[in-house]
C-alpha cells in the first residue's frame, strides 16, 4: 500500500493559525496534502513552505482558503482533482514551483491549478472573498489535460488579482494580456517521469533558462541544493538543470 493515494486525511492548518513552516518535506498518499484555512486579520503568513514535494493525493495536493501562503522550490504533483486550489480569495506568492498533474488512478476532469474568489453559503447566497494577490514567478504549471489553469472569478465583482511572471503554462487561454508577463504556453517541460514522480527537467525543456533572475531574487539554490542559476538565466520550476 505504500504508493496508494487516499490512505490518510490531510495536514490541516486551521483558521487563525499563522507562522507555520514546512521545509524539505515529502508529503504523499493522502486525500489532501496540506489544507491551509482562513487567516483572519493577521498580517503574518499562515504558511511558508520551501523545498517540499506533495504528490499522489486522491483529492488535492494543496488547498488554501482565504489565506496567506509563501512557497519556494516546491513540487505539487499528481492528484485526483487539483494540484493547487486557491479558494475563496487570499494572498499567495509562489516562486520556482512546479505544478504537474498526470493522475493515473482514474479520469480527472478538474484543472490542475484553480484560482477562485467566491463561494456559495448554506443559504445559496454567493459570498465574495477578495483574491488580493496570486503571484506565480518562474513556475511551471502543467499536466495531462488540455487546460490545466482555471481562473474562476465571480462574474459580478470582487478583487481578482493574479500575475503569472515568466511561467510555463498548459492552457487554452492567451498569455499575452493582463496578468501574464513573458509566459510560455503549451511547450514541453520535458519531465523525466511523471509517475515516479520525477518533475525535474531534462535537455530540451522549454523551462531551461526561461526564468527571470529578478524573480529568483535571494533563492540561491534549487530543491536539490544545486545552484539556482546554472546557465544564462534561471530555469522555471523547482529544479535547475545543471
Amino acid at each position: 500500500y505504500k504508493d496508494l493515494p487516499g490512505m490518510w486525511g490531510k495536514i490541516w492548518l486551521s483558521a487563525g493559525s499563522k507562522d507555520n513552516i514546512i521545509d524539505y518535506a515529502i508529503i504523499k498518499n493522502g486525500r489532501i496534502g496540506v489544507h491551509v484555512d482562513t487567516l483572519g486579520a493577521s498580517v503574518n503568513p499562515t504558511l511558508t513552505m520551501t523545498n517540499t514535494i506533495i504528490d499522489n493525493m486522491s483529492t488535492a495536493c494543496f488547498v488554501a482558503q482565504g489565506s496567506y501562503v509563501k512557497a519556494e522550490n516546491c513540487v505539487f504533483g499528481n492528484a485526483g482533482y487539483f494540484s493547487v486550489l486557491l479558494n475563496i480569495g487570499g494572498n499567495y506568492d509562489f516562486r520556482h514551483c512546479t505544478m504537474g498533474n498526470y493522475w493515473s488512478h482514474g479520469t480527472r476532469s478538474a484543472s490542475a491549478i484553480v484560482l477562485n474568489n467566491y463561494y456559495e453559503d448554506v443559504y445559496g447566497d454567493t459570498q465574495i472573498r477578495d483574491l488580493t494577490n496570486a503571484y506565480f514567478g518562474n513556475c511551471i504549471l502543467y499536466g495531462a489535460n488540455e487546460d490545466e489553469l482555471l481562473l474562476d472569478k465571480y462574474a459580478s465583482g470582487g478583487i481578482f488579482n493574479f500575475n503569472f511572471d515568466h511561467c510555463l503554462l498548459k492552457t487554452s487561454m492567451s498569455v499575452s494580456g493582463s496578468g501574464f508577463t513573458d509566459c510560455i504556453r503549451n511547450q514541453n517541460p520535458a519531465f523525466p517521469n511523471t509517475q515516479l514522480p520525477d518533475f525535474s527537467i531534462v535537455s530540451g525543456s522549454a523551462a531551461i533558462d526561461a526564468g527571470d533572475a529578478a524573480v529568483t531574487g535571494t533563492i540561491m539554490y534549487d530543491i536539490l541544493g544545486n545552484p539556482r542559476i546554472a546557465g544564462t538565466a534561471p530555469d522555471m520550476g523547482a529544479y535547475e538543470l545543471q
Side-chain angles (χ1 to χ4, degrees), residues 55-211:
D55 185 70
N56 203 37
M57 296 291 164
S58 59
T59 300
C61 290
F62 185 82
V63 176
Q65 296 180 288
S67 193
Y68 180 14
V69 176
K70 293 183 176 181
E72 296 177 356
N73 285 343
C74 292
V75 175
F76 305 93
N78 298 305
Y81 293 90
F82 315 104
S83 295
V84 173
L85 171 60
L86 306 182
N87 198 24
I88 59 174
N91 181 9
Y92 308 100
D93 191 303
F94 291 81
R95 297 177 192 244
H96 282 293
C97 291
T98 297
M99 299 154 203
N101 200 338
Y102 297 81
W103 182 249
S104 62
H105 296 279
T107 301
R108 175 175 60 89
S109 58
S111 296
I113 299 92
V114 177
L115 279 58
N116 165 280
N117 71 334
Y118 68 94
Y119 72 99
E120 186 177 289
D121 64 22
V122 294
Y123 304 104
D125 297 325
T126 298
Q127 302 294 332
I128 298 173
R129 293 293 183 268
D130 290 336
L131 183 65
T132 57
N133 179 57
Y135 178 81
F136 298 83
N138 291 352
C139 291
I140 299 174
L141 301 88
Y142 227 80
N145 290 353
E146 183 178 352
D147 203 326
E148 295 291 15
L149 176 61
L150 174 61
L151 303 178
D152 185 22
K153 179 183 184 296
Y154 184 58
S156 298
I159 296 173
F160 196 85
N161 290 329
F162 65 91
N163 185 15
F164 296 93
D165 188 358
H166 289 79
C167 292
L168 174 56
L169 307 171
K170 180 76 172 291
T171 180
S172 61
M173 294 184 292
S174 170
V175 296
S176 60
S178 176
F180 299 94
T181 303
D182 292 326
C183 289
I184 301 172
R185 184 171 72 105
N186 300 342
Q187 294 189 27
N188 188 9
F191 298 134
N193 190 321
T194 58
Q195 297 305 313
L196 277 177
D198 182 356
F199 287 107
S200 62
I201 56 175
V202 297
S203 180
S205 171
I208 295 173
D209 293 345

